[in-house]
Structure formats: C-alpha cells, structure tokens
Amino acid sequence: MGAMLDAPWNGVVFTPPTAIDIATIGDAIVNRLSSQIHSIEIAHYPDRPETWRMTHPVGAALVKYNGARYGELLDTAAIIQERILEFEISVMTRDLGWAVGGDPSGPSPGAYAIIEAVRTALTGYRIPGCRQMYPVREKFVKRDKKGSKQGGVWTYGSTFALSTVAVEASDADGFPLFVKGIAMDEGGLTSVTVDAAAYTFNSNLQVQLPQGNVFALSITASGGGSLILGTDFSVDRAGGIVTAIPGGAISAGETVQIAYTYAEEVIAAAGQSEPTD
C-alpha cells in the first residue's frame, strides 16, 4: 500500500520569497513611512548629502542603514547567526511645531510630531523574514542656521532595529533532492505469508529471499529438524537475506525448507507518478 502521487515529482529547490538584504529592508522601511506619513518627504538618505537640499515646505524623513551586530554561532556544521540591523531615520523639519510662547499644537507638524509619527509607523512593523522592528534611541543632531543651505532646519535621529538570520552561502547540489525511498510496514499490518519452499545456501553461506522486510521466519533442515535463529543462522530482515552461522548446523550447498512472513514495502523514486510495491 502507498500514497498515490498526482504527477511525477522531481524534487523542489527552496527559494525564500524575500531576499533579506540591506536594500530590500531599506525599501520596505521607506514604503512603510510613505504609506503612514503624508505631511513630509520620505526618501532614502542621499549618497551625496553635501549636495542634497530639502525642498519640502514642512520637512523630510531620510532612511539610512547604520550597521549590524552579529550573534553567536547557532550551528556546528554551518555558519548561522542572528543578525541585528539598525536603521536611522533622520527627521528634518523647519520648526519644532510652534513658535516661542505659541500653542504647542503648532500651525504645522514640527519635529516632535514627526518623530512620534515615525515611531508609531515603525514600532512593531514586520518585514517578511525578520522579527518586528523596535525603537533603539532618539537624539537631537543639529540645527542649521537660517542663512545655511537648508535654511534653518532642525534635525533629529530616530534609530530602529530588527533581527533576521545570516546564513552562509552554499552551492546547490547537482542531483535531485529525492532519488529513491523505501517505506516499510513494521507492524505487520500488510503481512504476507509464504509457504515453505526449498532454498540452497551458496558458497557465501547465504540465501536471498524474493522479498525483504521479513518479520517471521522458520527453517527446517533436510533431515527434518528445526534450525535455531542465532545459533544456526541469522536474518537481515530488511534485505531478506538468511546467513548460516559458521559452526552451526548449516553448510554451503545445503538445501533447506524456509517459510517466512513479510510485510509490504513501497518504493518511490523521483520521476514516478505512483509508487512500486
């Protein structure tokens, strides 16, 4: 007995649905902030910050990769480690949200309001293949002077972390993941009894039975006496091989009567649409 396959099966090569790399995570963070905060510009940190100028009338949030820490090795046969990545969100606004002595709610979203919006958007956010993001620190970075290139901008840094797994690269094997398998019934539920028949031991003192997965066997010598398992012979139950024990009652070339019971085995191979009994 065995399971029927719907179609030939040649093995499967697993490919993660999302590449867990810096650029992929950075893009996910930018997209998350863009979908949650609409009052400022959301972008990646410029590769030439000395030439970048904030043009949005309210402010901007720029996403930058800060680095990563690696944990202890988690396996003895391969390099597998926890990788904790940190990303900093540079929040840049033209004011803090109110004028001196004014209403704290302010006429427009200021630095404090944007910092809170960033924290809310990213705390608990899960990127596929990573654990949830969490805040690490917030800090004041600087304030440009009114006459500077940015025109008097407040800059704060909000750092967030998330963890994933770093695994060493490996080459794909050049053979199918599954070649051949044999499933054996060990409980005798599919047992088949074979009546006694004549078998002759070869020069290696062995008899190969037609079936394997043997779980009951008896041997009668040519003189009619019963032979003893462990004294006169041994049995490879999986392979169906009977071997005479030197010093026992069986010799090479001797013909005996063997009766046995075997359980069904199912063989499945790559490319087959159904198993072979």
Side-chain angles (χ1 to χ4, degrees):
M1 297 176 63
M4 303 297 293
L5 304 180
D6 295 331
W9 185 71
N10 294 306
V12 176
V13 177
F14 175 72
T15 302
T18 305
I20 307 303
D21 55 63
I22 297 169
T24 298
I25 296 174
D27 287 343
I29 294 174
V30 169
N31 292 336
R32 171 66 174 178
L33 293 175
S34 298
S35 68
Q36 301 294 309
I37 304 174
H38 308 288
S39 56
I40 60 172
E41 176 187 1
I42 308 293
H44 290 280
Y45 200 87
D47 58 352
R48 297 172 61 188
E50 68 277 4
T51 63
W52 183 84
R53 185 173 184 273
M54 188 177 75
T55 57
H56 194 279
V58 176
L62 306 178
V63 178
K64 178 181 66 173
Y65 173 61
N66 264 3
R69 307 188 308 276
Y70 289 83
E72 298 293 330
L73 292 175
L74 302 177
D75 192 85
T76 58
I79 305 300
I80 303 175
Q81 297 171 274
E82 181 183 24
R83 184 188 188 195
I84 303 174
L85 302 94
E86 291 191 357
F87 287 81
E88 181 175 299
I89 317 303
S90 294
V91 175
M92 307 173 67
T93 62
R94 301 195 184 280
D95 55 53
L96 295 178
W98 65 86
V100 175
D103 185 351
S105 63
S108 64
Y112 298 163
I114 298 302
I115 290 171
E116 293 296 344
V118 168
R119 180 184 59 81
T120 301
L122 296 184
T123 299
Y125 174 55
R126 185 190 297 276
I127 297 170
C130 303
R131 291 195 177 99
Q132 291 172 288
M133 296 188 70
Y134 58 91
V136 176
R137 73 184 69 87
E138 293 167 353
K139 63 179 181 180
F140 169 73
V141 178
K142 64 177 180 178
R143 182 180 186 275
D144 293 328
K145 296 180 180 179
K146 286 290 186 180
S148 67
K149 178 180 66 175
Q150 303 295 352
V153 170
W154 295 88
T155 303
Y156 285 82
S158 295
T159 301
F160 291 81
L162 73 169
S163 62
T164 184
V165 176
V167 182
E168 68 172 318
S170 61
D171 297 328
D173 295 324
F175 50 82
L177 299 181
F178 175 83
V179 178
K180 183 179 180 180
I182 300 176
M184 295 183 175
D185 172 9
E186 295 183 353
L189 298 179
T190 59
S191 62
V192 178
T193 299
V194 179
D195 293 334
Y199 293 90
T200 301
F201 283 86
N202 60 25
S203 59
N204 294 323
L205 296 176
Q206 289 186 333
V207 167
Q208 174 66 67
L209 299 176
Q211 288 83 23
N213 202 17
V214 175
F215 64 88
L217 180 143
S218 63
I219 301 179
T220 304
S222 56
S226 297
L227 300 179
I228 302 173
L229 176 65
T231 299
D232 299 316
F233 66 92
S234 62
V235 181
D236 175 355
R237 297 185 182 278
I241 301 173
V242 182
T243 302
I245 296 176
I250 304 172
S251 58
E254 183 173 349
T255 299
V256 298
Q257 295 289 318
I258 300 178
Y260 63 95
T261 302
Y262 70 93
E264 189 175 46
E265 63 181 30
V266 175
I267 302 175
Q272 283 185 308
S273 59
E274 59 185 64
T276 303
D277 292 339

